[in-house]
Amino acid sequence: MRKIPPFTALRAFEALSRHESFSQAAAELNVSHSAVSQQLRLLEGYFSCKLVRKAGNRIELTPAARSYAYDVRKSLDLLAVASEDFASSGSAHCIRINATPSFAIRWLIPRIAAFQRRNPRIEIRLETSHTDEFESSVDQSDLVIRCYPMKKAGLACRHLLHDEAVAVGSPALLSD
């Protein structure tokens, strides 16, 4: 069995470490100032050492507590991501799309809302990058959209739509 401090105390400590304020940590956690203080005392009792000291109207973490807070934050972030992934498994499908910025802004983004209304169980994650970044985009995306024809071994490459490029210039520039 893992020996870890109470989860409520860890959450309170992590919020306190970011805000360095009992009131702000309490507001974030939707508890009272004294509840955060009580959780901090519980954690200090668990480790048999002080984790914070007064600095005027604020508090500051001891150097050891600051290092511990960083690790706790990383652990809570990892737990949040794992929980989000678990919650969405089976209930939604995620499609990761990588497109050029101009295509994403002018064509794809205006159509995403309508797609989401028709397909509420599909989550779209859109990332933009330039054409010369194609190779690294393939491994991290389900769909890569570029403006030039291509054939790549191991990939299904399809023509998506016809596009025209038109040069536009001011009459003064064109007269010269």
Side-chain angles (χ1 to χ4, degrees), residues 97 99 102-113 124 126 145:
I97 301 173
S102 60
F103 182 81
I105 289 169
R106 294 174 191 226
W107 193 89
L108 193 56
I109 291 173
R111 291 164 173 80
I112 286 179
I124 302 294
L126 177 61
I145 302 172

Side-chain angles (χ1 to χ4, degrees), residues 39-81:
Q39 292 302 318
L40 178 66
R41 280 195 307 275
L42 179 67
L43 202 55
E44 287 177 333
Y46 182 89
F47 290 116
S48 300
C49 69
K50 286 288 189 189
L51 298 172
V52 300
R53 58 181 164 244
K54 289 276 189 186
N57 290 340
R58 300 191 62 81
I59 56 120
E60 66 179 30
L61 275 64
T62 64
R66 190 166 303 284
S67 176
Y68 182 60
Y70 175 78
D71 290 336
V72 169
R73 184 172 303 117
K74 285 191 321 185
S75 299
L76 291 176
D77 288 345
L78 184 61
L79 184 59
V81 168

Side-chain angles (χ1 to χ4, degrees), residues 3-171:
K3 185 166 170 51
I4 59 172
F7 186 72
T8 306
L10 290 174
R11 285 187 62 220
F13 172 69
E14 190 276 333
L16 185 63
S17 73
R18 280 185 289 107
H19 296 292
E20 293 190 350
S21 161
F22 284 96
S23 298
Q24 289 177 10
E28 177 182 316
L29 298 171
N30 201 26
V31 297
S32 68
H33 177 285
S34 63
V36 174
S37 180
Q38 184 180 10
Q39 292 302 318
L40 178 66
R41 280 195 307 275
L42 179 67
L43 202 55
E44 287 177 333
Y46 182 89
F47 290 116
S48 300
C49 69
K50 286 288 189 189
L51 298 172
V52 300
R53 58 181 164 244
K54 289 276 189 186
N57 290 340
R58 300 191 62 81
I59 56 120
E60 66 179 30
L61 275 64
T62 64
R66 190 166 303 284
S67 176
Y68 182 60
Y70 175 78
D71 290 336
V72 169
R73 184 172 303 117
K74 285 191 321 185
S75 299
L76 291 176
D77 288 345
L78 184 61
L79 184 59
V81 168
S83 298
E84 184 180 315
D85 288 348
F86 180 74
S88 66
S89 67
S91 63
H93 181 69
C94 177
I95 298 176
R96 299 165 303 163
I97 301 173
N98 183 293
T100 57
S102 60
F103 182 81
I105 289 169
R106 294 174 191 226
W107 193 89
L108 193 56
I109 291 173
R111 291 164 173 80
I112 286 179
F115 177 85
Q116 295 273 218
R117 280 192 298 274
R118 289 189 312 271
N119 304 279
R121 295 175 49 87
I122 298 176
E123 176 186 351
I124 302 294
R125 291 193 185 168
L126 177 61
E127 180 179 79
T128 61
S129 63
H130 296 285
T131 55
D132 57 346
E133 300 168 3
F134 173 79
E135 295 299 328
S136 64
S137 303
V138 171
D139 295 336
Q140 301 166 5
S141 304
D142 299 307
L143 183 63
V144 177
I145 302 172
R146 293 297 182 261
C147 298
Y148 50 87
M150 64 180 72
K151 290 185 180 178
K152 299 281 184 184
L155 298 178
C157 300
R158 303 283 188 270
H159 184 263
L160 186 61
L161 54 90
H162 295 285
D163 190 20
E164 274 186 33
V166 178
V168 177
S170 73

